[in-house]
Amino acid sequence: MSAALLTDAARRELLPTGALRLAVNIANAEMAAETSPGRFEGKAIDLSRRLAADWSIPVVILPFASGGAILGDLEAWDAAVLAVEPSRRDRLHFLPPFARVDATLATLGRSDISTCLDADAPGVRIAVVRGAAYTVHLEASTAQAELVPFDSPRDARAALLDGTCDVVAGIRSTLAGLARENAAVRLMEDDVLCIPQALAIALGKPNAQAALDTWFAARAEPAAL
């Protein structure tokens, strides 16, 4: 892949500071996890390394506590790896998905709730994260349970552990980590949502959008990353 595909006009739109500031959601460990101070690993990081190598550009990883936090600070970053959610397309241009993650529910062992469908019942309080793709889905599909929003996945998980909520929603791999740390936590076997993940940029950057679309279409399949 030639760096020449990044035209001067696209470079000005995509790299206003000289480096690509890439926002990642470190609550989604499959995409990005901080393995040591300032060092990140995951599928989003693999993708960013490929882009950096193909275009010979520096990439700065900007960690955020949630997808909602990324959306709340559009001016801080040039590109982001986010869940593809239709309600976000009024602000963002998404490339095709390069990975998928599962969102599910977790409860405590003493609960009678055994499936995600069981959780939608009167009196059940489900901890969710503001702005998360699975939260948007639950807001549209939940008929009887009460959704209790929190600012971060950490706060939502704490609400389950301290009894504030009966159930917590989250990325399956993240909730599995919580279950490893606390034997009382039990994950549902089914999922709330399978969430496509994609690179996104803010609307209004046509040259950068065209360059990224061309780069993504020409790259190897995700399995080769």
Side-chain angles (χ1 to χ4, degrees):
M1 179 69 62
S2 170
L5 288 178
L6 184 63
T7 65
D8 288 343
R11 184 180 293 271
R12 286 192 295 270
E13 291 176 355
L14 192 61
L15 310 173
T17 65
L20 179 69
R21 299 170 298 170
L22 180 68
V24 296
N25 174 10
I26 57 173
N28 186 345
E30 290 185 50
M31 293 296 105
E34 190 167 18
T35 56
S36 60
R39 181 171 177 80
F40 301 88
E41 297 292 343
K43 294 177 182 178
I45 308 306
D46 293 342
L47 186 73
S48 74
R49 288 172 179 157
R50 177 66 179 275
L51 181 59
D54 286 347
W55 278 351
S56 299
I57 59 173
V59 175
V60 177
I61 302 299
L62 301 181
F64 283 79
S66 68
I70 293 175
L71 292 169
D73 198 1
L74 295 179
E75 299 299 320
W77 48 269
D78 307 309
V81 173
L82 286 164
V84 180
E85 214 293 313
S87 67
R88 297 174 174 177
R89 293 188 183 276
D90 63 342
R91 293 157 286 172
L92 302 175
H93 169 72
F94 286 97
L95 274 66
F98 69 94
R100 298 179 188 275
V101 298
D102 297 325
T104 189
L105 303 178
T107 187
L108 297 178
R110 62 180 179 271
S111 171
D112 293 330
I113 298 169
S114 58
T115 70
C116 294
L117 185 61
D118 289 343
D120 188 11
V124 174
R125 291 164 58 87
I126 304 175
V128 297
V129 179
R130 290 184 176 90
Y134 55 78
T135 300
V136 175
H137 176 80
L138 286 170
E139 287 171 343
S141 62
T142 301
Q144 301 181 85
E146 177 186 358
L147 302 183
V148 183
F150 292 88
D151 290 329
S152 73
R154 182 186 298 272
D155 290 342
R157 295 193 298 269
L160 171 69
L161 297 178
D162 68 17
T164 301
C165 291
D166 308 290
V167 176
V168 62
I171 300 300
R172 177 173 288 278
S173 59
T174 302
L175 294 179
L178 180 67
R180 287 192 294 270
E181 297 169 359
N182 189 316
V185 174
R186 178 171 51 82
L187 272 64
M188 305 297 104
E189 293 187 2
D190 56 337
D191 295 320
V192 169
L193 186 66
C194 179
I195 311 170
Q197 305 287 310
L199 192 66
I201 62 171
L203 295 179
K205 300 179 180 181
N207 298 291
Q209 177 180 323
L212 283 168
D213 286 345
T214 300
W215 169 77
F216 192 89
R219 62 185 271 284
E221 291 303 312
L225 288 175

